[in-house]
Amino acid sequence: MKALKMRSAIGRLTGGRGATNALRKAYGVYRREGMAGVRRKLTWLRAGAPGVIDAGEYARWIERYDRIEEAVLESIRARINAFSSAPLISVVMPVYNPKPEWLAQAIESVRHQIYPHWELCIADDRSPDPAIRELLERYAVDEPRIKVVFREENGHISAASNSALSLATGAWVALLDHDDLLPAHALFCVADAIVRNPSVQLVYSDEDKIDASGNRFEPYFKCDWNPDLFRSHNMFSHLGVYRKALVDEVGGFRLGFEGSQDYDLAFRCVERVEAAQILHIPRVLYHWRLHAASTASGVEAKPYAAIVGENAINEHLQRQAVQGAAEYIDYGYRVRYALPAQPPLVSIIVPTRNALHLLRQCIDSVLEKTRYPKYEILVVDNGSDDAETLRFLTSIAENPQIRVLRDARPFNYSALNNRAVEAANGELLCLLNNDIEVISPEWLSEMVSLALQPRVGAVGAKLLFPDDTIQHAGLVLGIQGVAGNAHKHVPRATRGYFGRAALVNSFSAVTAACLVTRKAVYEEVGGLDEVNLAVAYNDVDFCLRVREAGYRNVWTPFAELYHHESATRGLDDDPVKRERFECETAWMKHRWREALKHDPFYSPNLTIERDDFSLAWPPRVPSIA
């Protein structure tokens, strides 16, 4: 029976393609997680958007980990009483003709906050429904912390938000839409974060959606500050909290950016602070109401918002003197960064040993399909002894664009690349495995354009298995003990968890199977570690040292290549290789023991047991009080 189930699973895991790879995948899932894991994987793939968390599973997770018990409430109150200076938070709410019951629920969600030091600043944008004015006037009389201004003319959301902002006297401003909800602990979590981090300027939290029946679903468990992801979609959004002085400094909300006015505001604020002053709270502190007219139901509900968001990004790029342009791509934005008029030389480094069919495929695909105009190829021959391979190496050396370097030492991936870098003429380096096949002509242009951006260290590509499923879409620390591939084995067209498999964004690390970096950065951090990491995890270690030096590592889905993974040197399945792998794993766990505890580019509410962005049971989040 299990065999029949497995065969059935194989077809469904890959759509009938690639039976051998499918067997490995299905058996791997079964061995780790049993048939329940195989069923979970199938559900995930059938969803078309792996990473979207099942509503029923999320409800169970909420019940277990997102309820505030009375004992916790006591601790929270004690914590508030211990604040040496409790920040006043002004909740800003523009209002225009919502359903009265939704507006009342939004206001009540503020009134029921555990944290008492708030004010609710409401600006009604001349709602035509008289029930709205009556409701707001009643609340203003009943609750002294609620302030209301009634605008004399309808000016739309930016103008109304500025009117609400004019009522604010708090040092901090939190944004709340007129039909959304805050959980009772939201403002406490914000205030506590501010007290613990006095230099912070901007705070944002996780969020989810809520329907008319009060059911919560689609939680967005975010990573810490990720500027590249922020240029791809508004990851800041809800709950967004700003230091009031900063909002005043940038001039509040801008007219003409209605629909993405908060995105534009966040851009202008982010430009004036350091990354360390932007704080993420890994808790769901905002419930975004889903209804036909809200952007929670998709940008198609407000198509103008997509265009305005594009404008906000482009003006941000102009203010930052970044040559590039954003375009809306249905599920987010793509920023195309411009290459210099004289593109720099890229040295493509390809270590190899025999494996003629792979090497020829790799070199031919680079030469035939790469549109980037200025590159050299350095083939590092690690002791090939196959006659046909040697003849091929001799023939390609006649191409002035290719050099063959001989290095017959025992296989040491790090050392082979480091030696080649010494001989490289390029301003940029591209580390490329010999089992890589180019399939997108703009792959190198895309990666170079990102690598040339300020404070970008390494750039990774979207690598695919030959059956058109994802092999690499960024590396997440902690998965498989050290690091694992995000979204591995999902279909090529999958957008992934809130677009992260289809949008440019930063990760802690990217694979060196295809990695572009500036030569100066490579040399600054000392290249790959050839002493401790001859084969495994040298790319993860390199990227972590790059990050430690103050750079960020970026992954792009717009550079696609096939990766015929491990086809050259095989799997680490013999005793010698296994011992080496275990030693290198132990070294990584010791060297980066603190970094591996928390990946800032991944949520502690998501699992590190698997690579599918599913829920963590339990989450790796400290106690709330």
Side-chain angles (χ1 to χ4, degrees):
M1 180 61 71
K2 286 183 179 178
L4 289 173
K5 289 181 179 178
M6 186 62 66
R7 274 197 288 274
S8 176
I10 288 170
R12 285 177 286 171
L13 278 170
T14 60
R17 297 189 302 274
T20 302
N21 282 340
L23 180 60
R24 290 197 193 100
K25 291 178 203 173
Y27 180 69
V29 172
Y30 174 74
R31 186 175 59 183
R32 293 190 306 270
E33 305 169 43
M35 281 307 299
V38 173
R39 284 192 292 271
R40 184 189 305 109
K41 195 78 169 181
L42 292 173
T43 301
W44 187 53
L45 292 172
R46 280 196 298 267
V52 175
I53 292 166
D54 176 76
E57 185 180 15
Y58 181 45
R60 292 187 292 275
W61 188 92
I62 290 170
E63 189 63 34
R64 189 164 181 179
Y65 301 119
D66 197 39
R67 298 294 185 199
I68 307 298
E69 304 294 337
E70 187 59 37
V72 177
L73 284 175
E74 294 286 342
S75 296
I76 289 174
R77 293 187 185 105
R79 172 75 182 147
I80 294 170
N81 291 334
F83 287 166
S84 57
S85 178
L88 176 63
I89 301 173
S90 300
V91 180
V92 168
M93 180 192 288
V95 170
Y96 181 73
N97 221 42
K99 284 188 176 182
E101 59 268 33
W102 290 351
L103 176 58
Q105 290 172 18
I107 293 172
E108 288 295 335
S109 77
V110 178
R111 292 187 74 188
H112 285 90
Q113 289 298 301
I114 301 166
Y115 184 72
H117 306 291
W118 57 263
E119 61 180 8
L120 178 56
C121 305
I122 301 173
D124 177 64
D125 199 24
R126 199 171 175 80
S127 296
D129 184 353
I132 300 300
R133 187 181 188 102
E134 293 172 9
L135 185 151
L136 292 176
E137 288 177 337
R138 185 169 66 253
Y139 270 114
V141 170
D142 291 346
E143 172 57 76
R145 291 175 292 181
I146 295 179
K147 304 176 179 180
V148 182
V149 62
F150 295 96
R151 292 174 48 81
E152 294 183 359
E153 61 180 7
N154 178 262
H156 303 298
I157 193 167
S158 292
S161 295
N162 283 334
S163 294
L165 195 59
S166 70
L167 301 175
T169 61
W172 291 86
V173 171
L175 307 184
L176 176 62
D177 288 349
H178 61 194
D179 50 4
D180 295 339
L181 304 171
L182 300 181
H185 56 287
L187 296 186
F188 162 72
C189 290
V190 170
D192 188 52
I194 292 167
V195 170
R196 293 177 187 268
N197 301 274
S199 65
V200 70
Q201 296 286 318
L202 298 164
V203 180
Y204 67 100
S205 77
D206 297 344
E207 60 191 84
D208 64 12
K209 296 182 177 71
I210 192 167
D211 64 18
S213 301
N215 299 309
R216 291 167 53 187
F217 59 102
E218 285 188 23
Y220 185 4
F221 291 121
K222 305 172 187 178
C223 59
D224 291 346
W225 182 240
N226 190 327
D228 299 286
L229 183 58
F230 184 57
R231 286 180 179 177
S232 298
H233 73 205
N234 188 1
M235 61 169 288
F236 192 89
S237 197
H238 304 310
L239 174 65
V241 184
Y242 304 71
R243 194 177 287 273
K244 174 67 160 49
L246 180 60
V247 175
D248 292 340
E249 183 182 327
V250 302
F253 296 90
R254 288 201 293 173
L255 304 184
F257 284 83
E258 289 79 8
S260 287
Q261 72 287 337
D262 53 346
Y263 201 15
D264 173 65
L265 175 66
F267 270 119
R268 288 180 289 121
C269 289
V270 163
E271 293 163 10
R272 295 177 181 240
V273 304
E274 299 296 326
Q277 295 176 302
I278 306 171
L279 182 68
H280 167 231
I281 301 173
R283 299 184 187 279
V284 174
L285 303 185
Y286 196 99
H287 307 314
W288 199 1
R289 190 184 296 275
L290 180 70
H291 58 84
S294 76
T295 50
S297 62
V299 75
E300 60 275 6
K302 295 183 179 179
Y304 63 88
I307 298 170
V308 175
E310 191 176 286
N311 294 339
I313 300 171
N314 284 324
E315 291 201 14
H316 158 72
L317 296 175
Q318 291 168 13
R319 290 190 299 270
Q320 298 296 102
V322 173
Q323 299 298 311
E327 61 176 302
Y328 179 63
I329 55 172
D330 184 45
Y331 51 88
Y333 300 91
R334 178 185 179 183
V335 176
R336 296 178 185 266
Y337 296 95
L339 290 169
Q342 296 296 324
L345 177 68
V346 180
S347 295
I348 301 175
I349 298 171
V350 185
T352 192
R353 174 181 166 83
N354 296 325
L356 174 60
H357 68 291
L358 288 173
L359 179 61
R360 176 183 281 128
Q361 177 177 258
C362 176
I363 300 301
D364 287 351
S365 69
V366 171
L367 293 173
E368 294 170 7
K369 298 179 182 177
T370 302
R371 288 183 185 160
Y372 187 81
K374 197 172 180 181
Y375 63 89
E376 64 173 1
I377 301 174
L378 278 65
V379 178
V380 187
D381 176 29
N382 186 216
S384 293
D385 54 12
D386 173 70
E388 287 190 38
T389 301
L390 292 172
R391 282 194 291 271
F392 178 73
L393 291 171
T394 300
S395 68
I396 62 175
E398 296 174 2
N399 185 330
Q401 208 170 358
I402 301 176
R403 284 184 284 155
V404 177
L405 310 177
R406 307 289 181 176
D407 192 331
R409 77 181 75 195
F411 179 72
N412 183 319
Y413 180 84
S414 298
L416 293 174
N417 280 284
N418 288 344
R419 187 64 52 84
V421 168
E422 294 174 2
N425 296 319
E427 179 184 335
L428 288 101
L429 308 170
C430 174
L431 308 188
L432 194 71
N433 280 12
N434 69 344
D435 54 3
I436 292 289
E437 178 186 358
V438 172
I439 57 174
S440 57
E442 300 297 334
W443 72 280
L444 191 54
S445 301
E446 169 74 5
M447 297 179 77
V448 169
S449 71
L450 283 162
L452 291 175
Q453 296 309 305
R455 306 316 297 173
V456 170
V459 178
K462 181 177 182 178
L463 303 184
L464 304 166
F465 288 114
D467 65 358
D468 273 336
T469 60
I470 291 175
Q471 184 266 330
H472 173 259
L475 291 168
V476 175
L477 302 181
I479 291 178
Q480 298 175 357
V482 175
N485 286 294
H487 293 110
K488 193 170 184 178
H489 294 308
V490 306
R492 178 180 184 176
T494 297
R495 295 174 185 175
Y497 188 74
F498 284 86
R500 290 199 67 180
L503 296 170
V504 174
N505 62 115
S506 295
F507 281 88
S508 285
V510 293
T511 180
C514 181
L515 180 153
V516 171
T517 185
R518 281 172 281 153
K519 186 176 182 180
V521 172
Y522 191 93
E523 293 175 335
E524 178 185 343
V525 303
L528 302 183
D529 185 345
E530 59 189 75
V531 176
N532 301 295
L533 300 169
V535 179
Y537 297 124
N538 40 53
D539 45 7
V540 178
D541 171 72
F542 172 77
C543 286
L544 290 178
R545 284 184 283 116
V546 165
R547 207 181 83 193
E548 198 173 50
Y551 302 94
R552 65 186 191 274
N553 301 307
V554 182
W555 176 83
T556 174
F558 304 111
E560 290 188 313
L561 307 96
Y562 282 131
H563 187 194
H564 305 270
E565 187 181 29
S566 300
T568 302
R569 61 181 184 84
L571 301 173
D572 290 342
D573 53 2
D574 71 51
V576 174
K577 291 180 178 180
R578 174 55 55 184
E579 182 181 2
R580 186 204 61 235
F581 176 76
E582 290 175 353
C583 287
E584 291 176 340
T585 298
W587 189 91
M588 282 293 293
K589 288 182 176 180
H590 173 74
R591 168 66 176 87
W592 297 108
R593 57 187 177 276
E594 292 303 317
L596 296 181
K597 291 178 182 177
H598 170 63
D599 187 336
F601 299 100
Y602 187 69
S603 171
N605 291 301
L606 299 175
T607 186
I608 55 173
E609 301 301 316
R610 295 178 297 279
D611 50 20
D612 58 4
F613 286 77
S614 58
L615 292 168
W617 298 79
R620 302 174 302 284
V621 180
S623 173
I624 195 170

